[in-house]
Amino acid sequence: MHSSKKNWIWTVTLIVTVICCASVLILHVKNWVTDDATSLGLRSGFYNVEVPLSELDSVVFVNRIPPMQRLHGFSALEKEKGVFREFKDSLTNKKVHVFVDNINNNKIKLVYKDSAYVYFNLKDSVETVQLFQKLSSYTGTLSEPN
């Protein structure tokens, strides 16, 4: 009888752990895009970036993201998310944010503040193209996929 009273602590700990893990998984399932008149916000779980549209330099469609070193993040099935560093910029330690929901579809490459990169796409390729067209209107240039 005494041992069953101690088991409730482990049961509660297990339930809280499962709930926390499930909520983190749900937050990383897709990219959450907030688009207003002054900025574009990209969020996926713990990773987020706010891109001011006034500082947007270029918007380009790319087939593949370049080889990079993962600082932290994850790859699972068709998803690639996290903070990376390009091999050619290993000395400057510039961080590249990647929010890719479908690695097989084209990605949008945003360059802002002259050298900050963000690669992202959405699960639905039509939504990605629509967002690309909207963002490219801020820069005045339109670049088609490779």
Side-chain angles (χ1 to χ4, degrees), residues 78-93:
E78 296 180 338
K79 298 183 185 317
E80 183 87 35
K81 300 187 183 190
V83 178
F84 293 75
R85 182 176 57 211
E86 286 188 298
F87 288 130
K88 65 181 180 182
D89 286 338
S90 61
L91 296 176
T92 60
N93 201 19

Side-chain angles (χ1 to χ4, degrees), residues 30 108 122-133:
K30 73 174 211 162
I108 298 174
L122 305 173
K123 189 167 251 180
D124 184 12
S125 62
V126 174
E127 289 180 19
T128 303
V129 169
Q130 290 172 348
L131 187 57
F132 170 74
Q133 291 171 345

Side-chain angles (χ1 to χ4, degrees), residues 29-136:
V29 166
K30 73 174 211 162
N31 291 332
W32 305 92
V33 178
T34 55
D35 186 20
D36 60 13
T38 60
S39 67
L40 173 75
L42 294 166
R43 287 171 184 73
S44 180
F46 299 119
Y47 306 106
N48 65 352
V49 66
E50 197 75 27
V51 179
L53 296 177
S54 61
E55 298 180 12
L56 195 60
D57 295 324
S58 70
V59 179
V60 181
F61 247 135
V62 294
N63 283 337
R64 299 173 49 147
I65 56 176
M68 293 185 280
Q69 176 185 8
R70 179 182 298 129
L71 298 176
H72 50 85
F74 69 94
S75 299
L77 302 174
E78 296 180 338
K79 298 183 185 317
E80 183 87 35
K81 300 187 183 190
V83 178
F84 293 75
R85 182 176 57 211
E86 286 188 298
F87 288 130
K88 65 181 180 182
D89 286 338
S90 61
L91 296 176
T92 60
N93 201 19
K94 290 183 185 173
K95 295 178 180 173
V96 178
H97 294 273
V98 177
F99 299 94
V100 176
D101 273 345
N102 190 343
I103 199 76
N104 298 323
N105 290 348
N106 289 332
K107 293 106 185 115
I108 298 174
K109 175 186 175 184
L110 294 179
V111 180
Y112 65 102
K113 294 183 180 178
D114 292 329
S115 63
Y117 296 133
V118 175
Y119 292 92
F120 74 97
N121 71 2
L122 305 173
K123 189 167 251 180
D124 184 12
S125 62
V126 174
E127 289 180 19
T128 303
V129 169
Q130 290 172 348
L131 187 57
F132 170 74
Q133 291 171 345
K134 184 175 183 179
L135 290 173
S136 60

